[in-house]
Structure formats: C-alpha cells, structure tokens
Amino acid sequence: MTTPYPLQWIAGLASAVLPYIRPVHPHRVVLTSFHGDGYRGNTKVLFEHLIDHETFEPVWLSRNHTLVQDLKDRFGPEHAAKAHFPAGLTALAEARALFLTHGTSDYPFLFLPRHALRIQTYHGLPTKRGEYLRPHADDPPNWMHRQILKYRFEPITHFLSSSSQVTDVFSARFGLPKARFVETGFPSYDALMNRTVPPFNAHDFWPNAPAAESLILYAPTFRKVGQSDTFPYRTLLSAEWFPFEDLNIEHIAQFLDEHQAILALRPHPNEQTSLKRFTSASPRIVYAGQEAIEDVNELILRAHAIITDYSGIYIEGLLKDVPPVFVPYDQATYERGFAIPYEEVTPGPKVHRQQTLLTALEEALQGAPTYEEERKRVRDLFFAETDGRSTERVVQMLEDELL
C-alpha cells in the first residue's frame, strides 16, 4: 500500500511549515531510497550501520506502508515512519542530515529543511549521459529542463564519489561544483569486498532451479525509446533481450546444461517487458528482477559472468573481478549516449551474434584471463579505494559535520 497522492500533496504543504515550528533534533538522520518506495543501495547500508551508532538516531522514511511496518518490526518503531504522516513529517523537519539515492524526488512532494545536510549517495556508476550532459549533444538543456534539474539536484550539499573520474562525470552531469563531492566510496559496495559467500547454490534464490555450479547475470539497461540495429524498423520501449539474428533459445539452454550454469535475467526497475519466453525455455533461465531479489549485490557476489549493454553493473562486478560480456546492439542509436567513450571503459568482448556470446561466456566462466589487465585498469579508474571501508568514511564525514 502506498500513500494516496492527494495526501502526499497536503503533507507537502505541511512539510514547508514544520521546520519553522519544530526544534532541530541534534542527532536525527533521515534516509530513504528509490523515490521513497525502495529499501536498497547505499542508504540501506548506512541506515543499518547507523542503527548501532552510539549517537545518531536514524529514521527511514517511505511511502510504502508495508516496508515501514517491516522496518519497525526489525529495528524498532522509532526507526521507521510513513513519509507523509505526522511521524514522518516531524522526523524530516527535525533532521540534521538527509540521505537519498536519486534526487530530491526521493522525498516526493516534501520540503527539505534548509538546516539539514542533503547527502546524495546515488545508485550507480556513471556510464551514461543524462541531465546536463544531454544525450548526443553538448548544448545545455532548455530553460524548463534546467529548472527541473535545479529543483532535483541543486539542494544537494554533499555528493558521494568513488574516484576523481567519477567526480568529474557526476559534476558535469548534475551541474554541481566539484567541491560538493566527497570521495568516500559507496557504502553498498563494501559487501562486495568484505563478504565471503559460500559456493553458489541456485536453490538459495530459485527453489525449483536445477543444481548449478555457475551463475551468469544478464542485466541490460532501460530504454524509453530507440531502435535496434538488428530490428531497425521496430520501436523499442525497453531492452531487446538476446538481440541476435541467430537466436536459438534451445541452444542457450543446452549451453547452460553443459556448463551446469544458471542464467539470471535481471531487468531494469523500469522495465515492463515479460521474460516468460526465455524463462519458460529452460529451468536454468530464471527471473531475477528487483521484486524477486531487491539487493543486486547478492547476485554480483555469486556471479561468474555478467552480461550487459551499457549498465554500470559490470563495474560493480569488477570489484570481485567478475568478467563482463557486452551486447551493444544499438550503440550507435542508444538514446542516452555515453559519459566516457564506450570502448575505453568496457573490458570485455562485444558480441553481436549468439554463437559469439556463448563463446565469450565459456571464456568468462574460465576467468577470461585475456581481459584481466583491462579489468584492473577500468576498476582503478572508477575506484580510488577498494578497502571495503566506505561506510565508515561516510559516517566519519557525518560525525565531522554534525558532532
């Protein structure tokens, strides 16, 4: 259940007044994610870390009522609130620091108090253009678009980063000065470096899947509109899965059987396309969308190969040296374009036929030693620190600012 929009709008008006009425709580930290609906990413990691902090008192705000109740049951009623109800509005008004993952729209229709730090943790690494880096153009956005971008990003006081390269791209993309960026690293990636997981067991995620030794994660990015090089007269509303002229799902299923592998299909959260055509072809082809497995790190930790097109998920995989395979079928027409030249940051084979994909996957399952140095180069470009202590650095920054 989600808060009805009329109530969100009314709450928004109240949120503009409350900061002038309520006293500031010296230790209140408020967090949310994914437009106020999700529980994932950097803010989730920080929230669960701050629960045990000796001074800070974190509160998770959401307009998802089920999520709020779940968090209350897990961490105590004082640590979660419905964003547009009195307890949530009060926590927001009193907060010394606010954390978010997308933009100010993570607190939908709500006024963010000026006395609070507004810390953008973001939700991925910068492979694509967007915002002020207009797709396929160097001209600035039009006046109306600039006002929207200012509303969403100008209030941010601190923006997390993981390297100078990431800072450069995000600064240009969101129109923020580099002085607002803090290269702490991203807390959600600490698990990729600190956690030791047992050997991959498909039944942990998909009880009906056959036994397997390897996990292949296929996670393309989202397209609002575009054209496929393979199907040039077809308008696409999402990614084209397996965009090969020689597509033969039975051969893919046979490959998975021979290699005792699971192929997990993880669509972008905005994706609406049904994948039953593929998942019904083999019990080794499984669905791994956010509704089934919200924390993608659980998959990256166990992956032996990652297939993608332009999603930054493969960069996260590089922290575990997971070999990527790329399917850039619409590279020339992809709607967003690239923040960094594609060939410079894609340390793996680019495939345009199914047989080439299967050959690349076979090499990836053996560690893809040919691309080992390239993977290290790209990893170093995006991560200045790989010590697994990003969460500690963010909390230290918070302590330095507020205590």
Side-chain angles (χ1 to χ4, degrees):
M1 178 181 176
T2 300
T3 306
Y5 278 107
L7 183 54
Q8 293 185 52
W9 301 332
I10 294 171
L13 296 175
S15 72
V17 176
L18 277 175
Y20 299 99
I21 300 174
R22 299 292 306 182
V24 175
H25 190 301
H27 306 134
R28 173 74 70 235
V29 178
V30 168
L31 309 93
T32 192
S33 76
F34 197 67
H35 314 299
D37 296 325
Y39 183 62
R40 67 183 74 166
N42 295 304
T43 50
K44 173 187 175 182
V45 174
L46 287 165
F47 173 70
E48 295 185 0
H49 186 88
L50 289 171
I51 287 288
D52 297 321
H53 195 277
E54 61 182 9
T55 303
F56 292 127
E57 300 178 21
V59 177
W60 188 277
L61 296 191
S62 178
R63 57 182 179 179
N64 182 324
H65 298 184
T66 302
L67 171 60
V68 170
Q69 189 57 54
D70 288 346
L71 295 178
K72 286 182 175 181
D73 292 343
R74 287 179 60 188
F75 301 110
E78 71 277 15
H79 288 302
K82 290 179 280 190
H84 299 89
F85 284 69
L89 294 173
T90 299
L92 184 68
E94 295 177 346
R96 293 284 309 281
L98 309 173
F99 284 86
L100 51 148
T101 61
H102 285 67
T104 55
S105 58
D106 284 353
Y107 297 92
F109 306 108
L110 296 176
F111 176 85
L112 304 187
R114 294 179 181 178
H115 59 251
L117 303 180
R118 297 172 291 277
I119 303 171
Q120 171 65 283
T121 70
Y122 212 57
H123 57 279
L125 291 159
T127 58
K128 302 179 286 289
R129 295 173 70 91
E131 286 77 30
Y132 285 93
L133 288 178
R134 295 178 62 215
H136 306 291
D138 292 327
D139 298 332
N142 62 40
W143 182 86
M144 180 61 72
H145 192 189
R146 291 200 303 274
Q147 303 316 303
I148 295 171
L149 294 175
K150 286 182 179 179
Y151 168 77
R152 291 189 65 202
F153 299 108
E154 196 169 80
I156 292 168
T157 60
H158 299 71
F159 201 125
L160 303 190
S161 174
S162 58
S163 74
S164 59
Q165 176 70 70
V166 171
T167 295
D168 289 346
V169 175
F170 276 156
S171 174
R173 179 171 163 179
F174 296 108
L176 295 173
K178 293 180 183 179
R180 295 193 196 179
F181 289 80
V182 283
E183 293 178 9
T184 56
F186 297 105
S188 65
Y189 300 155
D190 287 350
L192 296 176
M193 290 165 279
N194 294 338
R195 277 182 56 188
T196 300
V197 297
F200 172 59
N201 183 350
H203 295 163
D204 291 341
F205 301 96
W206 306 280
N208 297 323
E213 297 177 358
S214 302
L215 173 64
I216 301 168
L217 176 60
Y218 187 177
T221 195
F222 179 69
R223 296 145 175 82
K224 292 181 180 178
V225 67
Q227 286 187 329
S228 163
D229 292 339
T230 307
F231 305 100
Y233 304 108
R234 184 175 174 186
T235 299
L236 305 176
L237 297 178
S238 58
E240 188 73 46
W241 295 78
F242 304 100
F244 309 121
E245 291 181 351
D246 61 336
L247 175 62
N248 186 317
I249 301 175
E250 289 73 22
H251 287 177
I252 295 175
Q254 182 180 353
F255 173 91
L256 297 172
D257 284 336
E258 291 173 353
H259 292 80
Q260 292 287 290
I262 292 291
L263 176 59
L265 308 183
R266 186 176 179 87
H268 187 277
N270 293 333
E271 179 98 29
Q272 300 297 322
T273 302
S274 171
L275 299 176
K276 289 184 179 179
R277 175 191 177 193
F278 305 112
T279 57
S280 62
S282 168
R284 292 188 177 278
I285 303 177
V286 298
Y287 180 75
Q290 63 169 3
E291 318 92 86
I293 304 167
E294 184 165 25
D295 186 355
V296 71
N297 281 348
E298 296 299 325
L299 299 174
I300 296 175
L301 279 165
R302 295 163 173 83
H304 299 82
I306 293 177
I307 308 171
T308 190
D309 43 20
Y310 321 118
S311 169
I313 192 171
Y314 75 92
I315 304 175
E316 299 162 21
L318 294 179
L319 289 170
K320 299 295 289 184
D321 201 29
V322 180
V325 177
F326 299 94
V327 187
Y329 65 91
D330 59 349
Q331 182 177 346
T333 58
Y334 172 58
E335 62 187 62
R336 294 277 296 275
F338 307 102
I340 307 171
Y342 188 68
E343 295 296 331
E344 292 184 14
V345 291
T346 46
K350 286 61 172 187
V351 302
H352 298 276
R353 296 180 59 82
Q354 177 175 298
Q355 185 54 53
T356 313
L357 170 68
L358 297 182
T359 299
L361 286 177
E362 188 161 25
E363 295 173 355
L365 293 178
Q366 298 170 7
T370 303
Y371 289 92
E372 185 175 0
E373 286 301 315
E374 274 296 285
R375 293 198 299 271
K376 181 181 183 304
R377 180 187 64 80
V378 175
R379 182 168 57 246
D380 292 345
L381 188 67
F382 283 94
F383 300 103
E385 298 282 357
T386 56
D387 58 3
R389 299 181 61 189
S390 296
T391 304
E392 295 176 30
R393 282 190 286 272
V394 175
V395 173
Q396 183 62 58
M397 176 195 75
L398 202 59
E399 292 173 347
D400 292 343
E401 293 277 0
L402 300 183
L403 300 184

